[in-house]
């Protein structure tokens, strides 16, 4: 029964992740008026699923045994009740954020879930220094880096266009915009699927490849059915941008997402995606800063909220 519950909870987390994350890669397509919401979410779903499928063929190198990210010893991290508590808490937090329109980091939710369960399991013996790498540094670095790069890249595009008139071909700009959105969505599917499937690796009946495919389908379904609020926040409520600004934001998001995966940089792709839009929008003073601050507060409270839910869930599972 515990194994079945863990499997269902992980599918719930994957669904929640899709609802909160899948649209982030195509938000600029919809926000700039380049395409409709329906086309954007279908494009995001296809490319996210493609990234997940590619990750299946590289499962041996991408999936690592669930180790609690160093928050607590491996022998504690492999307890099924901890996996279940983390999946439940992260899924609830991420889905609630999606339904209320707040784009938050699934990685931060998982970190909070691990911390909450760890505090209940072994008390203050948890490794709090891990939070510096997985929570504090991404929270501080991601927005600053993304805002500066997106604003700078847009200014470079404008300067280059004034000299060589490269952006006069709107069809070319739109094509590049779609490609950049595809890169971001593909990178998300490629990097996030192994992370989620690691939660159910203790289920002996699952192969890594089978688990990944199941997670990928749940992510795709979540994005298709529950991305509307996230779309409204990132595409219309956060900033008013044109297609060139959207292209700049996506280039920065894609570059930093790939660089973070390759070099192990402590940045959040969610924070990068949001902040890149803000950076591009700031160049024309078309950012709604009140909404941006609301999102930042949601980022700050992601970890403690998930930790509380996870701690309660783990205690109830023990009882």
């Amino acid at each position: 029964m515990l194994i079945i519950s863990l499997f269902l909870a992980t599918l719930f987390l994957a669904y929640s992740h899709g609802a909160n994350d899948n649209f982030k890669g195509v938000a600029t397509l919809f926000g700039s008026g380049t395409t409709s919401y329906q086309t954007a979410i279908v494009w995001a779903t296809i490319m996210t699923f493609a990234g997940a499928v590619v990750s299946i063929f590289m499962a041996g190198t991408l999936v690592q045994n669930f180790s609690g990210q160093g928050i607590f010893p491996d022998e504690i991290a492999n307890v099924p009740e901890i996996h279940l508590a983390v999946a439940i808490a992260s899924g609830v937090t991420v889905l609630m954020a999606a339904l209320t329109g707040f784009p938050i980091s699934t990685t931060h939710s998982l970190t909070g879930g691990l911390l909450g369960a760890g505090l209940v399991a072994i008390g203050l013996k948890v490794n709090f220094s891990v939070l510096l790498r997985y929570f504090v540094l991404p929270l501080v670095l991601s927005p600053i880096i993304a805002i500066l790069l997106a604003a700078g890249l847009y200014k470079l595009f404008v300067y280059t266009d004034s000299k060589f008139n490269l952006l006069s071909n709107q069809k070319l700009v739109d094509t590049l915009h779609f490609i950049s959105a595809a890169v971001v969505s593909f990178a998300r599917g490629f990097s996030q699927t192994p992370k989620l499937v690691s939660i159910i690796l203790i289920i002996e009946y699952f192969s890594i490849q089978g688990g990944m495919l199941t997670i990928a389908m749940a992510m795709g379904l979540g994005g298709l059915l529950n991305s509307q609020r996230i779309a409204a926040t990132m595409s219309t409520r956060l900033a008013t941008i044109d297609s060139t600004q959207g292209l700049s934001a996506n280039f920065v998001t894609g570059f930093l997402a790939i660089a973070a995966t390759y070099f192990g940089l402590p940045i959040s792709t969610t924070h990068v995606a949001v902040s890149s839009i803000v950076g591009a929008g700031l160049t024309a003073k078309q950012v709604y800063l009140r909404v941006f601050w609301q999102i930042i507060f949601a980022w700050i409270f992601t970890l403690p909220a998930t930790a509380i839910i996870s701690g309660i869930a783990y205690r109830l599972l023990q009882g």
Side-chain angles (χ1 to χ4, degrees):
M1 187 64 186
L2 184 62
I3 296 301
I4 295 175
S5 299
L6 175 58
F7 172 64
L8 294 176
T10 306
L11 286 185
F12 170 63
L13 172 58
Y15 179 95
S16 302
H17 173 74
N20 199 288
D21 273 45
N22 281 11
F23 198 83
K24 292 169 185 173
V26 297
T28 59
L29 288 175
F30 180 43
S32 63
T34 302
T35 192
S36 65
Y37 168 81
Q38 289 79 8
T39 301
I41 189 58
V42 169
W43 186 235
T45 302
I46 292 172
M47 296 313 302
T48 300
F49 189 79
V53 169
V54 170
S55 73
I56 292 174
F57 297 100
M58 302 180 67
T61 55
L62 289 176
V63 177
Q64 297 179 350
N65 289 332
F66 192 79
S67 62
Q69 292 179 320
I71 290 180
F72 38 66
D74 289 351
E75 59 270 19
I76 299 296
N78 288 325
V79 174
E81 288 84 356
I82 286 184
H83 287 243
L84 182 54
V86 170
I88 291 173
S90 301
V92 168
T93 304
V94 173
L95 184 59
M96 288 300 297
L99 295 177
T100 52
F102 287 102
I104 64 172
S105 169
T106 301
T107 300
H108 281 190
S109 296
L110 290 169
T111 305
L114 290 166
L115 177 64
L119 285 172
V120 173
I122 59 175
L124 296 179
K125 295 179 182 179
V126 298
N127 185 5
F128 287 99
S129 64
V130 173
L131 298 182
L132 179 66
R133 173 175 175 81
Y134 286 100
F135 183 71
V136 177
L137 284 179
L139 189 62
V140 174
L141 293 178
S142 301
I144 296 174
I145 294 173
I147 287 173
L148 293 177
L149 286 181
L153 184 60
Y154 175 68
K155 290 292 187 181
L156 179 62
F157 278 157
V158 172
Y159 174 78
T160 304
D161 185 53
S162 67
K163 295 294 183 180
F164 304 103
N165 200 30
L166 297 177
L167 301 178
S168 59
N169 187 336
Q170 189 61 44
K171 186 174 182 180
L172 174 61
V173 173
D174 290 346
T175 299
L176 292 174
H177 199 172
F178 265 92
I179 293 173
S180 68
V183 170
V184 175
S185 297
F186 183 92
R188 284 185 178 280
F190 183 81
S191 63
Q192 292 296 323
T193 305
K195 186 180 300 182
L196 296 179
V197 81
S198 66
I199 298 177
I200 56 173
L201 282 182
I202 60 172
I203 302 178
E204 297 179 357
Y205 307 105
F206 263 102
S207 66
I208 294 177
Q209 291 80 5
M212 280 187 162
L213 185 59
T214 306
I215 292 297
M217 290 189 291
M219 285 170 52
L221 187 62
L224 286 173
L225 298 182
N226 284 116
S227 287
Q228 294 88 347
R229 290 293 183 89
I230 294 295
T233 297
M234 294 193 64
S235 300
T236 60
R237 295 182 60 233
L238 184 59
T240 301
I241 59 174
D242 59 28
S243 55
T244 306
Q245 289 169 315
L247 177 61
S248 303
N250 272 7
F251 262 121
V252 170
T253 301
F255 169 75
L256 289 178
I258 294 171
T261 301
Y262 185 79
F263 294 106
L265 299 176
I267 65 172
S268 164
T269 51
T270 293
H271 299 177
V272 165
V274 172
S275 301
S276 294
I277 293 175
V278 171
L282 280 174
T283 57
K285 298 181 180 180
Q286 296 174 321
V287 175
Y288 306 108
L289 290 177
R290 180 180 178 183
V291 175
F292 185 44
W293 281 113
Q294 289 174 345
I295 293 174
I296 290 177
F297 283 129
W299 292 346
I300 294 173
F301 286 110
T302 295
L303 187 141
T306 314
I308 292 171
I309 298 172
S310 179
I312 294 173
Y314 180 65
R315 177 61 71 191
L316 292 175
L317 289 169
Q318 281 186 314

